[in-house]
């Protein structure tokens, strides 16, 4: 069953589907990553693309639970950033396409809020 979005704010960014899938910079149309559909509860991403465009994404859902801060780091499995607790893939960020980024993503299963920056 599809989830109902509560907040969807995209700045200079385009998604392949409503709340997941391939993610693109609006200025240069480069693929900057992939958001896994069903494993995250909230996503906040701010980035600067190699083309110079600054973009951001805020996505969360009507049924999202409040996340809890954690000191664990996301683990990388086959270029996907995954939850350290259950290895579920959350997001792929194509580092080589971005000058920098700040990511906060909440795992739907364990409610841990993971943070990562470049």
């Amino acid at each position: 069953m599809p989830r109902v979005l509560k907040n969807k704010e995209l700045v200079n960014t385009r998604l392949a589907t409503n709340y997941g899938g391939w993610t693109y910079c609006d200025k240069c149309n480069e693929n900057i990553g992939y958001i896994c559909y069903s494993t995250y509860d909230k996503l906040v991403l701010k980035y600067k693309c190699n083309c110079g465009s600054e973009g951001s994404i805020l996505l969360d859902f009507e049924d999202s639970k409040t996340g809890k801060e954690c000191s664990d780091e996301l683990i990388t499995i086959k270029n996907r950033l995954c939850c350290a607790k259950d290895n579920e893939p959350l997001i792929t960020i194509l580092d080589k396409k971005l000058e920098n980024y700040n990511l906060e993503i909440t795992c739907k299963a364990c409610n841990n809020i993971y943070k990562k920056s470049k």
Side-chain angles (χ1 to χ4, degrees):
M1 183 173 148
R3 299 179 76 190
V4 177
L5 281 166
K6 180 169 76 174
N7 294 299
K8 179 179 182 178
E9 297 173 19
L10 303 175
V11 176
N12 297 325
T13 307
R14 177 171 49 85
L15 298 178
T17 63
N18 196 25
Y19 54 82
W22 294 110
T23 308
Y24 301 90
C25 169
D26 253 355
K27 182 177 178 186
C28 66
N29 289 315
E30 281 289 329
N31 178 356
I32 60 168
Y34 183 86
I35 302 169
C36 300
Y37 295 93
S38 59
T39 55
Y40 76 95
D41 233 6
K42 182 176 182 179
L43 168 66
V44 179
L45 175 66
K46 295 179 181 179
Y47 67 90
K48 183 171 184 181
C49 182
N50 287 339
C51 74
S53 179
E54 294 187 10
S56 64
I57 301 171
L58 167 62
L59 298 168
D60 68 352
F61 303 92
E62 292 290 336
D63 64 348
S64 291
K65 295 178 178 57
T66 302
K68 59 185 181 227
E69 298 287 329
C70 76
S71 58
D72 296 337
E73 292 190 21
L74 290 161
I75 58 174
T76 304
I77 301 173
K78 295 182 181 177
N79 89 342
R80 295 179 187 142
L81 297 174
C82 302
C83 175
K85 197 168 186 174
D86 62 10
N87 294 347
E88 283 293 321
L90 298 170
I91 191 169
T92 299
I93 296 181
L94 301 176
D95 284 9
K96 65 184 180 216
K97 305 275 181 94
L98 300 178
E99 283 186 31
N100 59 60
Y101 66 86
N102 288 303
L103 167 70
E104 284 188 25
I105 192 164
T106 305
C107 176
K108 184 178 176 191
C110 69
N111 294 321
N112 280 347
I113 300 171
Y114 293 99
K115 297 180 181 182
K116 185 170 174 67
S117 297
K118 171 186 173 189

